[in-house]
Amino acid sequence: MLARLSIRDIVLIERLDIEFASGLAVLTGETGAGKSILLDAFALALGGRGDAGLVRHGAEQGQVTATFDVPKNHPACVILTANGIDGSISEDSGEMILRRVQLADGRTRAFINDQAISVQTLKAVGATLVEIHGQHDERALVDASTHRRLLDASAGLDTEVAALEVLWEARRRARATLDDHRAGVERAAREAEFLRHASDELTQLAPQDGEETALAERRATMMAGEKIATDLREAQDVVSGHGSPVSVLAAAVRRLERRAANSPQLVEPAVRAIDAAINALEEADQHLAAALVAADFDPAELERIEERLFALRAASRKYATPVDGLAALAKKYAAEVALIDAGADRLAVLEKEAADADKRYKAAAAKLSAARTKAADKLDKTVNVELAPLKLERARFSTQIDSDPSAPGPQGFDRVEFWVQTNPGTRPGPLMKVASGGELSRFLLALKVVLSDKGSAPTLVFDEIDTGVGGAVADAIGARLARLACKVQVMAVTHAPQVAVRADQHLLISKDALDRGKRVATRVATLAEDHRREEIARMLAGAEITAEARAAADRLLKAAG
């Protein structure tokens, strides 16, 4: 999973690149060689707390880069997508590169595949990739909020939990629909008398969209026609009435036509002109007659229009709504009255649906809770079997499940927490509060071995988990770390040769003097087989490596192989 760790200008480290293999990698070295600095740098890359003191003296900034091989469906990618960050995985290599820059003034910057991100996002992503057990336990199993998820994973209950989350969402939607409808019914009931009156009044008024404009235009046309009708009649009387020149002109034309045979060249032009005048007057008469018809109106109709406009505008003022909005308001009030009338029936239906959804959720939650109780018993027995070889034979591990049906949630109503009892007669309590540092690390190792790759980050780091234990316990720790490394990548900082001999990769941390002793730097080297034997012999014998120590190292290596 973890391919490479690159460190620049961090405290005693000027430049350091570490290639990690799969399986179990151990880091050994003399006390003070810089193992804690390495872990601090690693934690920084994963979103840990920054500190200006981490920057190497004389440098403006330090930088740590951790490169992981991550599949595209990994939870880390899901987190980045949820935060709107694209390009989380390199298309070419499938790598996710976490980079943290620590400035000497205390500020820090975070990047994933060279995209700037917040430290909170980096921390969330880092938690899905690596767990560090030791002085960085905030990343480990001591977080009680993860215990329920781990118990479910150990028992294979993830499908049941997902199904319960669906039922929880259905229950939430049913309750929300019920609450909205009930609020609407209650609001309508409080205004029932007004709503019924308003609905009846507006229904009787029956306003139409655009009606005011149409009525106003018709009234304006009628009133304008009344004023012009007199003039139209007078003009028509002149054109076609008793004083009309049409009859006189027609008589003159007849007389001229009788003389046309004698002098056609004199008479015919005049006849044609008079005929045109008569035709023009007749056409004018037709236009005047049509205008009088158009201008004519029924006074009763004008009165009806004015009464309708008055009623519409009065309703507009009363309901503080434009006349063109009265039709929509009428529909709204009618719907609210209908809600009052039909609300009780609909409310009963929604109440039943919400009750059914709640019943289905509670039944599934109770079934899941029973399965968790059964799984907890199995987990407790399995973990307790692992404790005796780890010099915790008098301790007891237990999974505490507090079920409260009155406080349901998407994953049920169980609160799960891992408890321990370190000695008979003592009071059990939460893992983090009761176990001491060394005990806590061994409890966590036992848990990790049992849970294997279920609910675990793909890379685990154990910081001096073997502190203060004897050879037999250290050997048991080494055996369990090796078992765990068959499923996930494991790194262990250790002083125990019994742990070191089980490594698939052995890294030696040392401190070298530079510039004639004026400064020192931490180095990390991957040990070949012969150098590895020397390092294990040193771990057995101390400063002076004897033949007996080398022989003991050979025996340990052979037994581990």
Side-chain angles (χ1 to χ4, degrees):
M1 184 69 178
L2 178 61
R4 183 168 57 257
L5 181 66
S6 298
I7 306 173
R8 304 287 184 272
D9 292 324
I10 295 293
V11 193
L12 299 179
I13 302 172
E14 183 174 350
R15 183 183 181 91
L16 185 62
D17 293 302
I18 309 174
E19 294 282 349
F20 288 100
S22 60
L24 173 61
V26 298
L27 294 86
T28 66
E30 295 283 0
T31 300
K35 296 185 289 295
S36 62
I37 295 172
L38 278 176
L39 290 185
D40 286 342
F42 197 7
L44 185 68
L46 299 170
R49 185 182 299 277
D51 186 346
L54 290 172
V55 180
R56 186 173 61 86
H57 180 68
E60 294 182 357
Q61 66 180 37
Q63 177 175 288
V64 185
T65 302
T67 304
F68 297 85
D69 294 322
V70 180
K72 291 185 179 297
N73 61 348
H74 191 274
C77 301
V78 175
I79 292 173
L80 292 179
T81 301
N83 282 273
I85 301 172
D86 296 326
S88 55
I89 299 296
S90 168
E91 292 292 338
D92 297 331
S93 62
E95 290 183 338
M96 181 177 287
I97 303 172
L98 278 58
R99 181 164 62 93
R100 185 82 174 276
V101 177
Q102 173 67 62
L103 302 174
D105 61 7
R107 292 177 297 131
T108 68
R109 294 172 183 164
F111 304 86
I112 291 184
N113 283 15
D114 285 333
Q115 293 191 60
I117 60 170
S118 68
V119 173
Q120 290 76 13
T121 300
L122 179 65
K123 187 173 183 178
V125 170
T128 68
L129 299 171
V130 181
E131 290 180 13
I132 302 180
H133 297 275
Q135 58 182 313
H136 301 279
D137 272 334
E138 73 274 5
R139 294 184 174 277
L141 283 172
V142 294
D143 182 0
S145 65
T146 67
H147 295 177
R148 182 210 47 80
R149 178 177 57 80
L150 291 170
L151 176 62
D152 291 342
S154 73
L157 296 175
D158 291 340
T159 301
E160 287 81 353
V161 173
L164 186 65
E165 289 174 344
V166 172
L167 292 175
W168 169 265
E169 178 60 20
R171 174 183 181 271
R172 186 198 63 77
R173 288 197 305 269
R175 283 177 169 269
T177 303
L178 173 61
D179 291 342
D180 288 346
H181 184 77
R182 180 182 285 121
V185 169
E186 291 174 352
R187 183 176 62 253
R190 289 192 299 269
E191 303 170 355
E193 184 176 352
F194 166 77
L195 288 173
R196 291 187 187 280
H197 168 76
S199 179
D200 291 343
E201 184 175 57
L202 290 174
T203 299
Q204 185 175 0
L205 183 62
Q208 303 295 319
D209 290 335
E211 183 180 7
E212 181 188 27
T213 300
L215 290 174
E217 290 177 352
R218 175 61 178 154
R219 185 182 66 169
T221 300
M222 294 174 73
M223 294 180 70
E226 183 180 18
K227 294 178 182 179
I228 201 173
T230 300
D231 293 335
L232 290 172
R233 281 190 290 270
E234 289 178 355
Q236 187 181 38
D237 186 62
V238 170
V239 172
S240 61
H242 295 293
S244 172
V246 172
S247 58
V248 175
L249 291 172
V253 167
R254 286 192 296 273
R255 287 194 301 273
L256 288 173
E257 286 177 342
R258 286 194 294 268
R259 304 295 183 184
N262 298 325
S263 301
Q265 67 276 14
L266 296 176
V267 174
E268 288 180 358
V271 170
R272 286 196 297 272
I274 295 171
D275 281 339
I278 293 171
N279 291 334
L281 288 172
E282 290 176 347
E283 183 179 358
D285 183 51
Q286 292 173 3
H287 285 302
L288 288 169
L292 282 169
V293 171
D296 191 25
F297 69 92
D298 183 357
E301 181 187 359
L302 178 60
E303 184 177 356
R304 287 194 299 272
I305 290 174
E306 289 182 337
E307 289 177 351
R308 179 65 175 172
L309 283 171
F310 178 81
L312 290 171
R313 289 168 178 172
S316 172
R317 291 190 297 272
K318 180 176 181 179
Y319 295 108
T321 301
V323 172
D324 283 345
L326 289 175
L329 185 64
K331 293 179 181 178
K332 177 176 179 291
Y333 285 161
E336 293 188 5
V337 169
L339 180 63
I340 296 173
D341 296 337
D345 294 337
R346 175 62 176 160
L347 187 63
V349 171
L350 293 177
E351 284 176 341
K352 184 179 185 303
E353 290 177 354
D356 290 344
D358 189 58
K359 183 178 179 180
R360 288 192 294 270
Y361 166 81
K362 286 181 177 178
K367 185 177 179 180
L368 179 59
S369 182
R372 283 173 176 157
T373 300
K374 184 177 179 180
D377 292 338
K378 182 178 179 181
L379 179 64
D380 294 349
K381 292 175 183 177
T382 309
V383 172
N384 284 319
V385 168
E386 295 289 335
L387 297 182
L390 297 173
K391 204 178 179 180
L392 293 170
E393 63 277 358
R394 298 172 64 83
R396 287 291 178 269
F397 171 88
S398 63
T399 303
Q400 186 78 11
I401 300 179
D402 293 326
S403 300
D404 184 3
S406 65
Q411 291 82 36
F413 46 68
D414 299 320
R415 183 179 182 276
V416 179
E417 189 171 14
F418 295 148
W419 280 27
V420 295
Q421 181 185 32
T422 54
N423 290 291
T426 60
R427 183 186 297 274
L431 179 64
M432 185 61 176
K433 295 181 179 179
V434 173
S436 64
E439 292 172 334
L440 179 61
S441 295
R442 282 176 277 154
F443 274 119
L444 295 176
L445 176 59
L447 262 172
K448 281 299 180 185
V449 169
V450 170
L451 294 175
S452 188
D453 57 344
K454 296 175 180 177
S456 173
T459 299
L460 305 178
V461 179
F462 292 91
D463 183 12
E464 298 186 359
I465 193 174
D466 46 49
T467 299
V469 301
V473 177
D475 184 62
I477 290 174
R480 280 153 181 78
L481 288 173
R483 282 168 51 194
L484 188 56
C486 293
K487 296 292 183 68
V488 295
Q489 185 180 40
V490 179
M491 302 174 196
V493 176
T494 181
H495 290 288
Q498 295 87 349
V499 173
V501 295
R502 295 183 180 272
D504 299 298
Q505 181 185 31
H506 192 149
L507 301 169
L508 176 62
I509 303 173
S510 60
K511 189 183 293 184
D512 296 339
L514 303 176
D515 295 340
R516 299 181 181 180
K518 292 181 180 180
R519 61 189 181 92
V520 295
T522 294
R523 298 281 186 264
V524 177
T526 301
L527 296 181
E529 197 62 33
D530 54 343
H531 292 95
R532 186 181 179 201
R533 185 192 70 162
E534 285 296 297
E535 171 61 9
I536 293 172
R538 181 199 64 77
M539 296 172 72
L540 286 165
E544 183 178 352
I545 303 175
T546 64
E548 290 80 1
R550 291 188 176 93
D554 284 332
R555 288 193 296 272
L556 283 177
L557 286 166
K558 184 176 181 180

